[in-house]
Every structure is written in structure tokens, then in C-alpha cells.
Amino acid sequence: MTATAVLTARALLLDMDGTLVNSDAAVERVWRRWADRNGLDGDEVMKVVHGRQGYASMALLLPDRPMEQNHADNARMLAEETADTEGVVPIPGARDFLASLTGLPHALVTSADVALSTARMAAAGLPRPDVRVTAESVGASKPDPEGFLKAAAELGVAPADCVVFEDSGAGIAAGRAAGMRVVGIGPRAGFHAPDAVVRDLTQVRVDPAPDGTIRLRLTR
């Protein structure tokens, strides 16, 4: 039997990696090399890095290291990730999902910078939303809510009227801290108690309502 949940919003705020784009292979390659260089266990590193800006993950993994070194490493790794788009593909349903948002209030809210988000969305063959909050736009990484709050303000929508789409624990925590409802995408999301979880974007239907709201139908 198919179960359907319905959420109503006035704007949708979309993470990129793991939500619109499957970049896991590229992320693994870059971060496992970093783990090797720093004498860390790659499997343990991969448990931390999803959803955060690189310097924030490094601060958790190497708490005694100077932050300026984390920022320098992060800049190098962003360049590596931007150049490495092998295996970057859209999450199932992402193209149709983004097409269904044409003319509706929505934004990209990603821990990637402009160059990386541009490269990955292009590699996946996906259009970038007109409103984008990237690493350069914020002073704090997810799980801080700053990025989602900035996107809501730019769209002119109250946080409580936004629904976030996220895959990572850090991203889900950021959406919750912003006072927003969260739809979790994929297997990682279910461990972090979002308001609803779907396997991928093929299970999301977007229906604009006459009153300007957006009705989301989530099937499982």
C-alpha cells in the first residue's frame, strides 16, 4: 500500500549534494585523500563531512589544529572538488522536480561555493535556481541556520512557511534550527528525524495552489 503525506509551504529551500545531485563518489575521493594526508581513518571522516563546509568538518576532526590551516585546506579541497565531476549525476527525479518549481518561490542553499555548485549542477545537467545561498554568502556553516534564514529573507517568506529539502544530519539540524519543516532525502536522512523522508525526488509531487501556497505530496 502506498502512503502519502501532504505538506503546505510558501517556499522551498533546497540543499544540493545528496538532495539534487549525487556527488558521493567525488566527495569520497577528495576526503579520503585528505584523511590519508592527516593520518585519520577514512571511514570515520566520511561520517562527519556530509552537509558541512569543509573547514567546519576539519575543526571537528582535528580540534587542536589552527582554524587558519583548516581554511587553507578547505580552499585547496574546493578547487579539487570543482575539477572532479566524474560520477556526479542527478538524484532520481531531480530534473522533473526542479522543472515543477518554475515560477514558484525556491532557493538553493548549499555548503558548496559558487564554483563548486556551478560545476556540480552543470555536471548533473540541472538548472540552478535564481536564488542561491552558497558558502560565500554566510559566516557560519550548517548546522547553523544562517543559510536557510538568508534564503527565506531573500524570498520574502517567513521561516515557518518554508520547507527544507536535505539529506545530511547537519543540514536537517540547520533547517530545524531555522524554524522550518524538513523533508529528508535518501538513506542518510532517516537517521536525523526530519518531518518526512522520501527515497528520492521521484516520490515528491509539487502542486501550486490558487492562494499562492505550494502543496507537496510525498509518497512512500
Side-chain angles (χ1 to χ4, degrees), residues 28-217:
E28 288 250 353
R29 285 192 291 271
V30 170
W31 275 100
R32 286 186 182 277
R33 287 198 297 268
W34 181 87
D36 288 343
R37 289 196 297 269
N38 288 278
L40 298 175
D41 180 86
D43 291 339
E44 294 303 311
V45 167
M46 295 312 302
K47 293 176 183 177
V48 172
V49 301
H50 292 290
R52 294 181 174 85
Q53 291 192 44
Y55 73 85
S57 296
M58 294 171 195
L60 290 174
L61 292 160
L62 295 172
D64 297 325
R65 193 166 80 154
M67 187 57 78
E68 56 266 27
Q69 190 172 346
N70 294 337
H71 281 287
D73 259 11
N74 186 46
R76 286 190 291 270
M77 291 178 68
L78 282 170
E80 286 183 51
E81 289 184 284
T82 301
D84 183 359
T85 57
E86 183 180 351
V88 174
V89 295
I91 293 292
R95 288 192 183 97
D96 289 343
F97 174 70
L98 286 172
S100 73
L101 298 184
T102 301
L104 300 177
H106 67 287
L108 185 72
V109 183
T110 176
S111 295
D113 63 3
V114 169
L116 180 56
S117 60
T118 301
R120 285 192 175 157
M121 292 291 278
L126 299 175
R128 291 182 300 154
D130 292 337
V131 176
R132 300 183 290 272
V133 176
T134 60
E136 297 94 337
S137 309
V138 297
S141 171
K142 299 172 186 177
D144 191 281
E146 181 184 0
F148 288 123
L149 292 172
K150 280 198 167 187
E154 186 162 347
L155 292 169
V157 177
D161 290 328
C162 295
V163 169
V164 167
F165 285 74
E166 266 283 1
D167 72 302
S168 71
I172 291 168
R176 286 196 173 284
M180 301 171 182
R181 290 157 294 157
V182 183
V183 175
I185 307 294
R188 281 193 293 263
F191 295 104
H192 304 287
D195 295 277
V197 182
V198 293
R199 180 186 63 248
D200 56 43
L201 292 168
T202 64
Q203 296 183 317
V204 181
R205 177 179 169 184
V206 177
D207 293 320
D211 64 356
T213 59
I214 302 167
R215 184 168 296 162
L216 298 170
R217 296 185 184 276

